[in-house]
Structure formats: structure tokens, C-alpha cells
Amino acid sequence: MKIIAIAAALSLLAGAATAEPLMGKWRTAKDDNGNSGLVEVKACGAMLCGTLIQSFDKDGKTFQSKNQGRRIIWDTKPAGGGEYRGMVYSPDRDAEYRSKLVLTGDRLSVSGCRIGICREGGVWSRVK
């Protein structure tokens, strides 16, 4: 019985050590209005999603945005080589895009396409 308990504990520790690298908090690039946000990425079933948890104005001061609590990233999954594919919402344009996220260390390059038009969303930085 002790062996089963030890094996189960080691299995849980191994799962924690291989956590999805995209998960965590990310500071977005400034949008067209000069605002940025803090997005928390978590597992949502088999996919990843990210919710806007804090907003910053062009001077870096926090403010209450109508988009706080909104999913900014959803239906996202790894595509290999640090790349992720899914959906992303752009609050400044009130638009949804098919997303391409490229993770390089603590930097996340965000871009998206909608109706054949692709747009760079800038580089987000991991918040520790």
C-alpha cells in the first residue's frame, strides 16, 4: 500500500514539473489606445485560455476596464516548437482573431488573422 501511495505522489510531482510553459501571468503590449493589461493563462480542459485580470492606462496606472474578467485567449493549444494556435480577442478593436502565439523564454509574440487580414499584437512579457 505504501508503494502505491509513493508512486501516486511521484506521479503528481512529475505532472507539476511538466506544467505547460504558456501558463502564468503576462503583461500585454500596449494597444492602439496606449493601454495594456495583465492576462492570466490557465488550463481550460484540454486547451489553454487567458483572462484579463488587470488593466493599465497609457501612463501605467491601473484602471477598471469593462474587459476585465473577459477571456482574451481561448481554444489555444501547443502546435510545436514554442508555437500555439487558438483564438484571441483584441479589446481596442473589439474583434476576435485566429491566433498564433510564439513563446520564446519569457516573451510571447502575439498575432492574429481575421477575414484574411493578419495583425501583429505585439510582444507580451511574463510577469513573475
Side-chain angles (χ1 to χ4, degrees), residues 24-85:
K25 294 180 181 174
W26 294 89
R27 178 75 178 255
T28 70
K30 290 187 176 186
D31 66 16
D32 292 344
N33 301 314
N35 299 328
S36 64
L38 187 62
V39 174
E40 185 170 23
V41 177
K42 295 181 177 183
C44 293
M47 303 283 194
L48 297 167
C49 62
T51 303
L52 181 66
I53 60 172
Q54 194 170 17
S55 301
F56 304 93
D57 66 16
K58 63 182 177 179
D59 298 319
K61 296 178 184 172
T62 60
F63 75 97
Q64 186 64 39
S65 164
K66 68 179 181 177
N67 291 300
Q68 279 178 233
R70 182 177 185 139
R71 284 214 172 138
I72 301 297
I73 297 171
W74 68 98
D75 291 345
T76 298
K77 62 184 177 180
E83 188 173 301
Y84 296 81
R85 298 291 178 137

Side-chain angles (χ1 to χ4, degrees), residues 2 23 33 56 124:
K2 285 183 182 180
M23 292 187 350
N33 301 314
F56 304 93
W124 297 9

Side-chain angles (χ1 to χ4, degrees), residues 75-112:
D75 291 345
T76 298
K77 62 184 177 180
E83 188 173 301
Y84 296 81
R85 298 291 178 137
M87 296 295 293
V88 66
Y89 174 72
S90 176
D92 58 328
R93 296 184 180 219
D94 191 27
E96 297 177 356
Y97 298 87
R98 283 178 294 114
S99 66
K100 176 182 174 184
L101 312 175
V102 180
L103 180 63
T104 308
D106 288 337
R107 298 172 54 82
L108 183 66
S109 297
V110 178
S111 60

